Amino acid sequence: MRYIDFDKGAGPESLKISETDTPAIASGQVLVKVHAFGVNRADTLQRQGKYPPPPGESDILGLEVSAVVTDVADDVTQWRTGDKVCGLVAGGGYAEYVAVNARHLMPVPQSMSLTHAAGLTEVFLTAWQALFTIGNLQPQDKALIHAGASGVGLAALQLCKLKGIATVTTASSEDKLSQCSDMGANLTINYKEQDFAAVLKDTWPEGVNFVLDFVAGDYLNRNLKVLAQDGHIVYLAMLAGRFADKLDMALMLGKRARIQGSTLRNRSDAYKADLIRDFCEHGLPGFDDGTLTVNVDTVLPVEDVATAHARLEANDSRGKIIVEW
């Protein structure tokens, strides 16, 4: 099969099409022929040598695919050859075929193309996990979503709207903020022109129950300032660097705040299966009734995968970049 190879530590231009053996399936797995894959920051970090795959997983890049089932292990009953699926892989998504845990797949919504389904899994499951599995957000709560025009940010805004949760979001341009409003944001803030903490203190003085942050850096204490008592801050990335503000312990204690980091890739198979089952029951139907949508920035042919990485690293995207075989 063909797959996308790379030189560890090199730039996007090192991505190239190579050949390797098609993977064999083990108990509990299915083999799928990949139609398209979503491009994620974790992929660019792995290429840079900063985010190795979990032990025992494929060294090939790629965390999410849309595909057609081509082979099924004897103990798998929920999928059949020919089924259109999308799902999580811990590695191996940048290939023509990948062996996947059968419980980590979802049916492609009837209203969605197989190509667009490649951008569904990672962002919506990451957002669902942060908002509801970890954050336990409830209807009538308020949430601050940073990087609102990112793939996860746009998914989080839609899911909050679905569940009756008011949202404020930050982004870097009026175009991005307009897209956030279209996805359900109640209040938008251009972080390049305004201090989000000052705006929120004036607009929502009662604070927010939840903050979803990809930035860290000097956002840490400002997040605490706008957090309501017993609120929760979840960190998914550190775009401003590995180290953040000196933590204001008085703020954290006074708010009884919870500050938590989260990942998805290195969670256990059972955790991922439970998360997917919960999302399939309570979130996935939203795609067929039009409540939820995958925000696709660009669809590129596999020969242009380097462009996908370069654009993501330059923050030059709104929503998902998808690559097709």
Side-chain angles (χ1 to χ4, degrees):
M1 69 172 185
R2 295 179 297 166
Y3 76 105
I4 306 301
D5 199 1
F6 66 99
D7 297 327
K8 185 177 179 180
E13 69 282 354
S14 73
L15 295 162
K16 54 187 177 292
I17 298 175
S18 299
E19 291 192 358
T20 190
D21 294 335
T22 300
I25 56 173
S27 175
Q29 290 186 327
V30 301
L31 184 70
V32 299
K33 184 175 183 180
V34 176
H35 175 78
F37 54 85
V39 178
N40 294 284
R41 288 192 179 275
D43 306 336
T44 66
L45 290 172
Q46 183 177 336
R47 192 204 72 241
Q48 294 167 17
K50 300 176 181 178
Y51 191 30
E57 300 294 348
S58 173
D59 290 328
I60 297 173
L61 299 173
L63 303 181
E64 62 179 336
V65 299
S66 62
V68 176
V69 175
T70 60
D71 195 12
V72 179
D74 291 340
D75 60 343
V76 172
T77 59
Q78 65 267 52
W79 302 112
R80 297 181 180 180
T81 300
D83 285 345
K84 294 180 180 180
V85 295
C86 56
L88 288 178
V89 292
Y94 285 26
E96 288 188 300
Y97 291 89
V98 61
V100 189
N101 186 316
R103 299 183 300 162
H104 295 173
L105 294 172
M106 298 184 286
V108 173
Q110 292 183 353
S111 62
M112 188 178 298
S113 71
L114 196 55
T115 297
H116 279 207
L120 187 162
T121 313
E122 184 72 19
V123 294
F124 275 93
L125 288 180
T126 297
W128 186 272
Q129 173 193 230
L131 296 169
F132 306 119
T133 306
I134 298 172
N136 194 32
L137 276 169
Q138 301 296 316
Q140 309 307 315
D141 280 346
K142 291 183 171 67
L144 165 59
I145 310 296
H146 288 299
S150 66
V152 176
L154 292 169
L157 290 171
Q158 293 180 72
L159 290 172
C160 285
K161 182 179 180 181
L162 178 71
K163 298 295 184 181
I165 297 157
T167 51
V168 56
T169 193
T170 61
S172 61
S173 71
E174 294 308 310
D175 284 348
K176 290 183 176 181
L177 292 173
S178 177
Q179 185 179 21
C180 292
S181 295
D182 291 342
M183 293 299 104
N186 300 92
L187 175 67
T188 61
I189 300 171
N190 186 326
Y191 69 81
K192 289 187 174 181
E193 299 177 355
Q194 297 173 291
D195 179 348
F196 72 85
V199 174
L200 266 181
K201 276 294 185 181
D202 288 339
T203 310
W204 288 357
E206 70 277 15
V208 297
N209 307 99
F210 179 88
V211 179
L212 184 62
D213 192 7
F214 309 82
V215 181
D218 64 354
Y219 277 27
L220 175 58
N221 287 326
R222 283 191 282 167
N223 286 336
L224 281 169
K225 287 179 181 177
V226 301
L227 196 68
Q229 210 157 45
D230 297 313
H232 202 156
I233 302 172
V234 173
Y235 281 94
L236 298 183
M238 45 187 175
L239 296 178
R242 182 173 180 176
F243 299 100
D245 281 334
K246 290 183 178 179
L247 175 63
D248 187 332
M249 290 293 295
L251 266 178
M252 188 181 75
L253 291 170
K255 298 288 183 73
R256 298 194 296 263
R258 290 172 292 166
I259 302 173
Q260 182 169 345
S262 179
T263 61
L264 182 55
R265 184 182 192 181
N266 60 0
R267 298 280 190 176
S268 70
D269 285 346
Y271 180 98
K272 292 176 184 176
D274 288 343
L275 177 66
I276 289 169
R277 183 171 57 250
D278 186 39
F279 178 74
C280 283
E281 181 177 353
H282 300 291
L284 197 62
F287 290 99
D288 281 327
D289 67 19
T291 308
L292 302 177
T293 186
V294 175
N295 284 273
V296 177
D297 179 286
T298 309
V299 178
L300 296 171
V302 70
E303 292 80 10
D304 291 340
V305 66
T307 299
H309 274 230
R311 286 192 57 197
L312 203 62
E313 290 177 342
N315 293 321
D316 180 27
S317 63
R318 287 187 290 169
K320 293 295 296 191
I321 298 177
I322 293 170
V323 176
E324 281 185 317
W325 282 103

